[in-house]
Amino acid sequence: MPGSRRSQRQRAVSELRAQGRYGPELRDVLPGFVGIGLAVLALVLLLMWLFRAFGVVGLVVGSVLLAAAGTAGRHLRRAVVRRRGGRYTAAELARLDDRSLVVAATRMLRRDGWEVVDLTARKGRPRLYARDRRGRELDVAFRPVSTAGEDETVSGPAPLREAGRPGIDGLTRVVVHRCGFSREDVVWAFRQGGVRLLDGHQLQRWADGASLDELGVPG
């Protein structure tokens, strides 16, 4: 019967949608198609105006500029997708402020399969909690860059004491810093146990795609 066929089809569609296999409806993709259509129309009108105003030269120049803009847009989009996937170049890391570094670390942790919770609002300082499928836990803190300059190493373990305490219950405490740690910092962290220091060199390797396991951070 037509009614039963319709109900069967509706149930099948509902099941596919629940499983995420049915795909988007027209109302979901229509705004995107309209936006693309308007953009194409605007480009056509721009080229027509350039042709009328400057002739063939204007048309050629306009086409070259549009092609260059399209290439730049594709490169920009790829860079955005790459960063969202947890990969950063050295220049991009250097431009990050303290809060952006927390975002980057969150993306890199998730890239490596860690579940991440941002505890910054609760702790008052940039702080992340991460857990992987093996049940390992990380308490990730961030040491701010010295106001004296990024190439200088902050001496003294005092900022580390604020960032991490000795590891308990299998929790590894990680301190991330875009520059280098002093020898005093390294000795202090070693004596504490359960504290790992991630300096600028290791941070760049991490951003390039190396996992924390490859860097020996979870321990």
Side-chain angles (χ1 to χ4, degrees):
M1 297 177 59
S4 62
R5 292 177 181 174
R6 177 183 297 178
S7 62
Q8 290 176 3
R9 183 179 182 279
Q10 290 176 345
R11 283 197 299 270
V13 170
S14 299
E15 292 177 0
L16 290 173
R17 285 176 180 167
Q19 299 172 8
R21 296 162 52 192
Y22 186 72
E25 295 183 348
L26 179 60
R27 64 169 176 256
D28 298 323
V29 299
L30 185 59
F33 283 132
V34 171
I36 293 174
L38 291 176
V40 172
L41 178 61
L43 292 177
V44 171
L45 292 177
L46 176 61
L47 292 176
M48 291 176 61
W49 178 81
L50 289 173
F51 178 72
R52 291 177 179 176
F54 305 101
V56 177
V57 175
L59 184 61
V60 172
V61 172
S63 299
V64 172
L65 292 177
L66 290 176
T71 301
R74 285 193 298 272
H75 285 306
L76 179 61
R77 181 179 179 278
R78 290 173 183 171
V80 171
V81 171
R82 173 173 48 75
R83 289 193 295 268
R84 288 179 178 176
R87 295 178 183 272
Y88 291 78
T89 65
E92 290 168 343
L93 281 181
R95 290 195 296 266
L96 297 180
D97 57 20
D98 291 338
R99 180 55 197 166
S100 298
L101 181 59
V102 176
V103 175
T106 300
R107 292 172 175 173
M108 288 187 279
L109 284 166
R110 288 174 176 163
R111 178 201 72 197
D112 295 341
W114 294 80
E115 296 180 3
V116 186
V117 179
D118 192 339
L119 302 178
T120 300
R122 190 185 311 172
K123 298 291 184 179
R125 291 177 178 272
R127 204 70 164 266
L128 298 175
Y129 168 80
R131 181 184 177 92
D132 69 356
R133 296 177 181 177
R134 295 162 56 183
R136 296 180 300 176
E137 298 175 286
L138 299 178
D139 177 8
V140 185
F142 299 83
R143 189 175 190 179
V145 174
S146 172
T147 55
E150 294 207 4
D151 293 334
E152 297 192 9
T153 300
V154 182
S155 61
L160 300 184
R161 293 195 182 107
E162 298 176 359
R165 297 171 297 171
I168 56 175
D169 299 329
L171 179 66
T172 300
R173 288 177 168 81
V174 183
V175 183
V176 179
H177 188 35
R178 281 185 293 172
C179 299
F181 292 98
S182 67
R183 183 177 181 277
E184 185 180 5
D185 293 335
V186 175
V187 172
W188 177 86
F190 176 78
R191 289 175 177 174
Q192 298 305 305
V195 177
R196 300 290 187 271
L197 304 182
L198 194 72
D199 62 15
H201 175 69
Q202 292 175 304
L203 178 61
Q204 184 57 63
R205 288 185 57 197
W206 191 24
D208 287 337
S211 67
L212 289 180
D213 288 317
E214 294 174 329
L215 299 176
V217 171

